[in-house]
Amino acid sequence: MDRLAELTNRVVQVAALLLATIYLVSGILYLCLSYWNVTEQDFWRIYYVCLNYSWLESTLLKVNNHSVIFPNLIWLADLRFFHGSQLLLFIVGLALLLVTTSLLTVPVWRDRQMDLTGKCLATLALILGGFWMGRAMITASGGFNCMTSLVILGAAIAFLLLPRMGPDFPPNWRSTTLILLAGFLASFSFGTGLALWPTLLFLGWYLRVPWRSLVILLLAALVVVVIYRLLPPPDKNLVLRGGADTPGLISIDTLKHLCMLVGSPLFYAVSALQKTPISPRLIQSSGWLLWGGGAGLVFAAVLTFPRLMRRDLEPGSVEFIGLALIVLNLCALVLTAAGRVRHFQALPFEAAAPRYIFWSSLFWTGILLVAIHHTHRRQWLRWPCILVVLAFPIAAWPEHRDEGFRWRYARSQADESATSMINGVFDPARLLASNQEFVNLLLPQLRAGRLDMFAEGLQDWIGQPAAQLFAGRRDAREFHGHADLKRLAGGRDKDTAVKVTGQLIANEGRTPSTMVILDSAGTVVGVARSFSSDKFLNWLLYGGRMPNGQLAGYIRNYEAGARYFLRAAGPAGVSTGEIAIAPLPR
């Protein structure tokens, strides 16, 4: 029996570590292939503030009632020194995500009460909570990931240091100072970082932290709240319509919205598993959102309140980290539900918006960690818990895979949008923000400053003879394909501009990524780019569904009856081969 039990434990350990490795590697690959590579959504307004206000003003001004002082310093440095590179922001955000996951994993492997099987399962839970692509609405954006991961970084540092304020340690002002700094880092990186202060007070009570230390934490929290209230919002003309937090009268609907926020990871995982299309009607009628979230709140209450009176929590244990994640993310979701009452009442399906899964996924991670901790005390829970922990990543895999594909496809659409802007064409079918007003305000500044999509200088090619590009060098590499002209569907340029679409085929290697559109005189009249995927990664990650060599470009001043051609362009020069672009159908 002992050998059978040992063999079974080995199988569970290998399965847990294998699943953890799969999620970690695939999650990083999906993010690297899908991250936001151009300015999108809220960042049109954020960058406008950064480029038109002093660095101090832009740092202190709130973003939709969120203070983002520390992430703003990263954006300012990126705009000043790295031409607004979204790649840099993504690398910083991914590094923060890796660091925070690693810090939360440290107590797991230091917990002497937990056996190897429990540690492997806890590691799986943390990696699943960190790298599941259901969170990609936040983690695929370098800017958003910097905000939220800085919050978790501050929380992780505070969680690791908080036990040193307990009665078993002498008064340590260094640890106290570092905890306060971590709290300030979390609070002024994103609004939900304020949830760290009640979390620290709650955990401090559990750990029997002396009253003087709790008072210090409470006073620091009050100082943060006062500063938060004093920080000004930007000019009202720069506030996203309907995007800011809109507090209202808290009612029974608030509890319903909280349940929906908590239950959203379950809802999206089950919907992907059943291949059910997501719609506002489904969101408002799904039991997985309401009852799944309600079950999560019940689990949280059962796991946290019994210890509230006993106060026998083991510092730095798996249970401690689990409870910390439960309380932190529950407080963050409560702040969200209470702060957006009117918004959720007007648009109830918004309570299940994917951007909130960043927090709710960590809430469920905390529940799994606490459940894993209890398996070594209650043997009857061991196998049910093991099966649940192993079932979670298996059930969540379809959503992980589908979101990886969806965000890779979104990346291709963003590339087309950036290409239209490089060509000076407004394509209403390819928008990078829900409010075009902010795009129109910022776009001339990005172009003048050679920032973001303009950093490579592709826009400077337009109007030049192709023979003068790259000092006249010619590239003998051959490529084949087809290209067609397509009229724009609406917008200011629908009568003067056209879109070039098509498919490229390379004889060997990858298809060319950048091309010039030439008229019959050899003058560059537009720029086109292709979107390619590595064949092996396309098969491995996307089941071969991603198109390879898909082409998109624009001609701003189209002349009816004129002939146009495509040539590849790059450091090696302009290609000698070309593709004739089929004329517009009559």
Side-chain angles (χ1 to χ4, degrees):
M1 290 295 293
D2 290 340
R3 293 191 62 182
L4 179 61
E6 182 180 354
L7 178 61
T8 304
N9 282 330
R10 291 297 182 192
V11 171
V12 172
Q13 293 162 15
V14 171
L17 292 179
L18 179 61
L19 287 171
T21 302
I22 290 173
Y23 265 93
L24 177 62
V25 174
S26 65
I28 292 175
L29 286 175
Y30 276 134
L31 290 175
C32 289
L33 294 170
S34 310
Y35 72 91
W36 293 13
N37 60 333
V38 293
T39 302
E40 293 193 49
Q41 301 304 331
D42 292 10
F43 284 90
W44 287 99
R45 183 176 63 87
I46 291 171
Y47 283 175
Y48 182 85
V49 173
C50 289
L51 293 174
N52 290 278
Y53 289 71
S54 70
W55 73 269
L56 183 60
E57 287 179 307
S58 62
T59 300
L60 295 180
L61 292 176
K62 293 177 183 174
V63 175
N64 291 345
N65 288 334
H66 295 268
S67 176
V68 290
I69 290 176
F70 295 106
N72 200 83
L73 296 175
I74 300 175
W75 304 328
L76 287 172
D78 179 41
L79 290 169
R80 176 65 177 83
F81 300 108
F82 300 98
H83 303 285
S85 169
Q86 296 298 316
L87 174 60
L88 176 69
L89 289 184
F90 169 72
I91 292 173
V92 172
L94 181 61
L96 289 171
L97 186 62
L98 287 166
V99 168
T100 54
T101 304
S102 301
L103 287 177
L104 292 173
T105 308
V106 168
V108 170
W109 291 92
R110 286 182 176 178
D111 191 342
R112 297 179 179 179
Q113 295 183 1
M114 185 64 59
D115 60 11
L116 182 58
T117 301
K119 292 178 180 180
C120 293
L121 292 170
T123 301
L124 169 60
L126 285 168
I127 289 177
L128 176 63
F131 292 91
W132 182 47
M133 282 299 289
R135 315 168 84 219
M137 183 68 190
I138 297 297
T139 55
S141 164
F144 285 146
N145 203 12
C146 285
M147 293 186 211
T148 52
S149 290
L150 280 174
V151 172
I152 303 299
L153 176 62
I157 293 172
F159 296 158
L160 292 176
L161 294 175
L162 187 63
R164 295 183 175 274
M165 296 178 69
D168 296 335
F169 292 86
N172 188 336
W173 289 104
R174 181 180 299 176
S175 297
T176 303
T177 302
L178 289 175
I179 290 173
L180 295 180
L181 291 176
F184 275 80
L185 173 65
S187 300
F188 295 106
S189 293
F190 199 61
T192 45
L194 294 171
L196 180 58
W197 297 105
T199 303
L200 292 178
L201 292 170
F202 193 77
L203 295 174
W205 171 265
Y206 268 125
L207 296 177
R208 300 181 182 272
V209 169
W211 281 104
R212 62 179 181 277
S213 298
L214 292 178
V215 170
I216 291 173
L217 292 176
L218 180 60
L219 291 176
L222 293 176
V223 169
V224 167
V225 171
V226 171
I227 295 175
Y228 226 93
R229 296 289 295 178
L230 293 177
L231 290 176
D235 186 274
K236 63 180 181 179
N237 294 324
L238 294 175
V239 176
L240 291 172
R241 295 187 182 96
D245 291 337
T246 52
L249 183 64
I250 296 177
S251 65
I252 191 65
D253 281 344
T254 307
L255 179 59
K256 177 183 177 182
H257 297 149
L258 178 60
C259 289
M260 294 175 69
L261 289 167
V262 171
S264 56
L266 302 179
F267 167 73
Y268 283 100
V270 171
S271 297
L273 194 62
Q274 297 177 342
K275 299 182 179 180
T276 305
I278 304 298
S279 65
R281 178 176 296 181
L282 177 64
I283 288 174
Q284 292 179 254
S285 62
S286 174
W288 284 103
L289 277 171
L290 188 58
W291 299 110
L297 295 178
V298 171
F299 289 150
V302 170
L303 294 173
T304 56
F305 287 121
R307 283 192 175 274
L308 193 59
M309 300 306 299
R310 296 201 305 268
R311 302 174 68 186
D312 57 350
L313 183 63
E314 182 68 25
S317 62
V318 171
E319 182 185 26
F320 173 76
I321 293 299
L323 285 175
L325 289 177
I326 290 173
V327 177
L328 173 70
N329 292 282
L330 182 58
C331 289
L333 295 173
V334 168
L335 285 175
T336 302
R340 298 181 68 84
V341 172
R342 292 177 183 168
H343 182 67
F344 290 157
Q345 287 175 342
L347 302 170
F349 58 87
E350 271 286 294
R355 60 183 176 273
Y356 303 121
I357 295 180
F358 184 92
W359 310 104
S360 53
S361 61
L362 291 178
F363 170 85
W364 287 100
T365 297
I367 287 181
L368 290 179
L369 291 179
V370 176
I372 292 168
H373 169 83
H374 282 291
T375 58
H376 80 278
R377 290 185 177 182
R378 299 172 176 84
Q379 288 299 315
W380 63 272
L381 272 178
R382 182 175 179 82
W383 278 107
C385 180
I386 288 174
L387 294 175
V388 168
V389 174
L390 293 179
F392 253 76
I394 295 173
W397 179 259
E399 174 71 358
H400 181 72
R401 178 199 58 207
D402 291 350
E403 284 298 288
F405 173 77
R406 188 172 78 86
W407 284 99
R408 179 65 175 169
Y409 182 76
R411 166 77 171 265
S412 71
Q413 305 301 291
D415 278 352
E416 288 191 22
S417 302
T419 302
S420 72
M421 293 176 181
I422 290 171
N423 285 279
V425 174
F426 172 68
D427 186 350
R430 295 288 181 265
L431 299 180
L432 288 172
S434 56
N435 191 324
Q436 188 64 24
E437 178 184 355
F438 295 135
V439 178
N440 295 336
L441 284 172
L442 182 63
L443 201 58
Q445 290 183 274
L446 293 182
R447 183 183 289 270
R450 301 176 74 88
L451 300 173
D452 204 333
M453 70 281 291
F454 301 108
E456 294 181 68
L458 303 184
Q459 66 278 2
D460 298 334
W461 297 356
I462 301 174
Q464 297 189 42
Q468 294 183 6
L469 299 179
F470 305 103
R473 292 193 298 273
R474 305 301 296 271
D475 185 0
R477 179 181 55 174
E478 293 187 4
F479 68 99
H480 302 279
H482 64 86
D484 304 283
L485 295 180
K486 178 182 177 182
R487 292 197 180 277
L488 299 179
R492 71 181 183 214
D493 300 318
K494 65 179 181 179
D495 297 324
T496 58
V498 293
K499 183 176 182 178
V500 179
T501 62
Q503 185 74 32
L504 298 182
I505 303 171
N507 288 343
E508 56 183 42
R510 299 185 64 181
T511 57
S513 59
T514 306
M515 285 143 286
V516 288
I517 305 171
L518 309 179
D519 60 14
S520 55
T523 301
V524 179
V525 295
V527 175
R529 297 194 293 183
S530 70
F531 188 82
S532 301
S533 298
D534 180 83
K535 290 183 179 180
F536 174 73
L537 292 179
N538 190 6
W539 168 79
L540 179 67
L541 299 175
Y542 308 110
R545 293 180 291 172
M546 285 303 305
N548 197 25
Q550 188 175 17
L551 168 72
Y554 294 84
I555 301 173
R556 183 175 182 180
N557 297 306
Y558 169 71
E559 295 182 11
R563 298 178 64 192
Y564 296 98
F565 306 88
L566 270 176
R567 288 187 183 180
V574 179
S575 67
T576 54
E578 63 183 20
I579 297 175
I581 302 175
L584 280 172
R586 295 183 179 179

